[in-house]
Amino acid sequence: MSETTTAASTTYPILAIARTQVLGEGAGLTQAQIVEVLELPDEAVPELLQLAHETRLRWCGPEVEVEGIVSIKTGGCPEDCHFCSQSGQFTSPVRSVWLDIPALVEAALETAKTGATEFCIVAAVRGPDARLMSQMREGVAAIKAAVDINVAASLGMLSQAQVDDLTEMGVHRYNHNLETARSYFPDVVTTHTWEERWSTLTMVRDAGMEVCCGGIVGMGETLAQRAEFAAQLSELEPDEVPLNFLNPRPGTPFGDQPVMPAAEALRTIAAFRLALPRTILRYAGGREITLGDLGTRDGLLGGVNAVIVGNYLTTLGRPPAADLALLEELSMPVKVLNATL
Amino acid sequence: MAGTAIYCGRCGLGLDVSEHGACVEALALEPPRFCPRCRRRMTVQVRPTGWTARCVEHGDLEVTE
């Protein structure tokens, strides 16, 4: 540790507290403590990232989980999530399109070739209807017959019967993001509630599927609300937290929001790691425009232990080879199938 | 799809009526949404390692990494 970072822990007591509480004992930061971390100045960020990295190594191990995602049903969503270009309520240029089963299997094969162990099927819907559930049943079976990869799903809010159906299909992890703090959610979505999302997550957990739940930072929430969000995720205890950085999309209500500064994004990554020491913390959308190549590296050395490789749902990511080369350079092994972090 | 691009694939405006430097930059990380020949909105399917955009009039644009 450099003299600079040693000085930082002396100047900012929250770093010494986190070292003992989170790194030493595995107990995540409280909401008030997360606020303190998010308010640290730039000079403290190197030591903060180092601490988050040590925490990730101690409580999760060195492996990085790699995932690919694809949209089975794009656009035309009835909900009004203000960040989303797939809402049918905005003047976004994204048009509605369905992916057929052969193309879905091909996408899973593309993903597996990158070394990924996870393949997540995503639909822009409030919740799945009978047609989508039928597509999922056929698609999951076809993928399992053709590709050795874990299948995850993200289909919006579920009924108990749909949770049971997905479990029976062999979907091992379900993504449903809370998106933001409970107190800020009404500023982001008005067509359904935070509590409805929480209800789906509870059913997913109770059914035995792994819970994947994260959100988007940089949507105009305060630092206190960002800390509230991390604390609420900690209460949920998800297996995975995908962390997105707002990528302002044309035509959406958040289309003119500024991109989050890189230092703030890195502070956020570290804060979420220190709030959730044992969780899979995944780089998701927006990292390319927020952090760039250098920031991507810093985040992997600052608490992140999972990545979405390749493209996202409606936008493009770094080439998978670039991320895999970076992981190799950082001596971070890619998690293999059927291993747990 | 062949032919000369007349419209910006990102914003749909004519290439000759405004500056599209920001659009060109953005298109490094997003597929085009408007047909460059007729500015119709295209149906776009993004895949993990590529994308396809289809104009009902002018056919497919496809990129695989």
Side-chain angles (χ1 to χ4, degrees), chain A residues 4-5 8 12 15 37-49 261-267:
Chain A
T4 304
T5 55
Y12 306 106
L15 293 175
V37 169
L38 292 172
E39 290 177 340
L40 284 170
D42 288 356
E43 68 175 15
V45 168
E47 182 174 349
L48 172 64
L49 293 173
E264 186 178 344
L266 292 172
R267 242 189 318 269

Side-chain angles (χ1 to χ4, degrees), chain A residues 71 95 110 249 311 314 316, chain B residues 29-30 33 47-49:
Chain A
S71 176
R95 287 188 62 189
E110 285 180 15
R249 304 313 304 151
N311 296 330
T314 62
L316 311 179
Chain B
L29 287 171
E30 58 189 80
R33 295 286 167 185
R47 307 187 315 274
T49 59

Side-chain angles (χ1 to χ4, degrees), chain A residues 95, chain B residues 32-35 40-44 53-55 61:
Chain A
R95 287 188 62 189
Chain B
R33 295 286 167 185
F34 295 91
C35 176
R40 284 185 175 87
R41 283 193 308 155
M42 298 188 288
T43 52
V44 178
R54 173 171 298 166
C55 170
L61 278 172

Side-chain angles (χ1 to χ4, degrees), chain A residues 62-75:
Chain A
E63 295 86 1
V64 172
E65 188 182 88
V66 176
E67 178 186 53
I69 64 175
V70 77
S71 176
I72 191 172
K73 185 262 178 183
T74 302

Side-chain angles (χ1 to χ4, degrees), chain A residues 109-184:
Chain A
L109 282 163
E110 285 180 15
T111 298
K113 284 178 186 169
T114 69
T117 55
E118 299 283 324
F119 178 66
C120 189
I121 305 167
V122 186
V125 291
R126 176 181 172 89
D129 58 12
R131 177 189 177 191
L132 180 54
M133 288 300 286
S134 174
Q135 284 280 91
M136 285 298 297
R137 180 170 294 282
E138 188 180 346
V140 172
I143 291 168
K144 286 181 174 293
V147 193
D148 196 15
I149 198 164
N150 287 326
V151 178
S154 181
L155 313 173
M157 292 176 283
L158 302 176
S159 67
Q160 184 62 57
Q162 290 167 333
V163 170
D164 295 342
D165 282 351
L166 291 169
T167 306
E168 189 267 330
M169 289 177 206
V171 171
H172 92 118
R173 186 180 294 172
Y174 192 78
N175 165 261
H176 195 46
N177 290 338
L178 287 169
E179 305 299 6
T180 191
R182 187 176 186 173
S183 68
Y184 191 59

